[in-house]
Amino acid sequence: MPDQPTQAVQDYLKAIHRLGGADEGVASGKIASALGVKAPSVTGMLKRLADAGWIEYTSGTGAKLSPAGLSEALRVIRRHRLVELFLTQVLKLDWSEVDAEAEALEHAISPRLEQALADYLGEPHEDPHGHPIPSRTGELKVRSLKRLSEFRAGDVVVVREAQDDNPDRLRHWRTQGLTPGARVHVLAYQELDDLFEVEVDGTLIRLGSEGLTGLRGELVTANSAQ
């Protein structure tokens, strides 16, 4: 059984999970980009994580979480998302502010406090940005979602998740009503200009695919002519 993980170890495990490392190997270059660190330092850290039993790693196949690594990654993700929900629901912080705060607090929360938060919030299933919260036993709901920029004219889509790493973008989405649970009717897409016309709660919005980057949803209805 690996030793108690440090904050750096937890950050790596969480990043590897986010990049798909629960199911397949993740290249060290992708991990370096996700964490904002240099590739040589990532390679050294991955070797240490493998020696400690947190991951399976070879330079050819990349880093894949071991059962112990997956369990720890899910625990960190659970604490992060519970903190985000507590900060928005109880302390009334804006959803654009809570990711950075949760990033700092997730490493300091004990299992007892983690469960107290979950009990207080009613064992919630999603964080403020729509991301599923792992259960206390480590199950994480898997959903089949698409980027909003992949939908086309005639589609009616429910927003399910909003990427939470850009506060300015989150505030902008809030003003446009592009939050989890919103129904988005794609009215038109002009491919040459990369311009979408969508209706959200009766309001017409025009924006490019970059303005939708980070939003994921699922189809409700589609134009039968398509």
Side-chain angles (χ1 to χ4, degrees), residues 16-179:
I16 293 169
H17 184 275
R18 184 169 68 249
L19 294 168
D23 302 309
E24 60 185 9
V26 179
S28 58
K30 288 186 177 181
I31 299 170
S33 178
L35 292 172
V37 297
K38 295 181 178 179
S41 64
V42 170
T43 301
M45 183 61 163
L46 293 181
K47 290 177 179 178
R48 291 194 292 274
L49 291 176
D51 290 343
W54 294 114
I55 65 171
E56 300 166 5
Y57 172 68
T58 64
S59 58
T61 60
K64 183 175 183 293
L65 294 171
S66 68
L70 176 59
S71 178
E72 183 60 29
L74 291 172
R75 276 198 291 267
V76 179
I77 292 167
R78 173 174 165 83
R79 291 169 186 171
H80 182 102
R81 294 177 179 176
L82 285 171
V83 169
E84 286 190 331
L85 196 60
F86 181 83
L87 293 175
T88 54
Q89 285 196 359
V90 180
L91 300 186
K92 306 304 180 184
L93 271 64
D94 189 77
W95 77 329
S96 65
E97 304 173 296
V98 296
D99 180 61
E101 299 292 346
E103 196 72 33
L105 292 169
E106 67 189 25
H107 305 291
I109 292 177
S110 67
R112 181 182 179 187
L113 180 54
E114 170 196 319
Q115 197 51 52
L117 284 172
D119 292 340
Y120 181 85
L121 295 167
E123 199 61 60
H125 298 294
E126 294 182 356
D127 73 7
H129 310 101
H131 301 119
I133 298 175
S135 71
R136 71 178 70 188
T137 53
E139 285 82 29
L140 181 63
K141 184 178 180 180
V142 177
R143 299 184 292 198
S144 179
L145 303 177
K146 292 171 60 177
R147 294 173 298 191
L148 258 65
S149 58
E150 296 182 74
F151 294 98
R152 290 297 181 263
D155 291 343
V156 177
V157 182
V158 175
V159 178
R160 292 300 184 198
E161 295 180 2
Q163 193 170 320
D164 59 5
D165 60 353
N166 188 316
D168 289 337
R169 190 166 54 185
L170 285 167
R171 284 190 287 268
H172 188 55
W173 285 334
R174 173 78 75 188
T175 63
Q176 294 176 318
L178 291 168
T179 57

Side-chain angles (χ1 to χ4, degrees), residues 151-152 186-198 205-210 212:
F151 294 98
R152 290 297 181 263
V186 182
L187 302 176
Y189 174 65
Q190 300 173 26
E191 187 171 356
L192 287 178
D193 296 322
D194 186 29
L195 181 67
F196 285 86
E197 290 188 0
V198 301
I205 300 172
R206 293 183 175 89
L207 69 175
S209 57
E210 179 63 28
L212 295 174

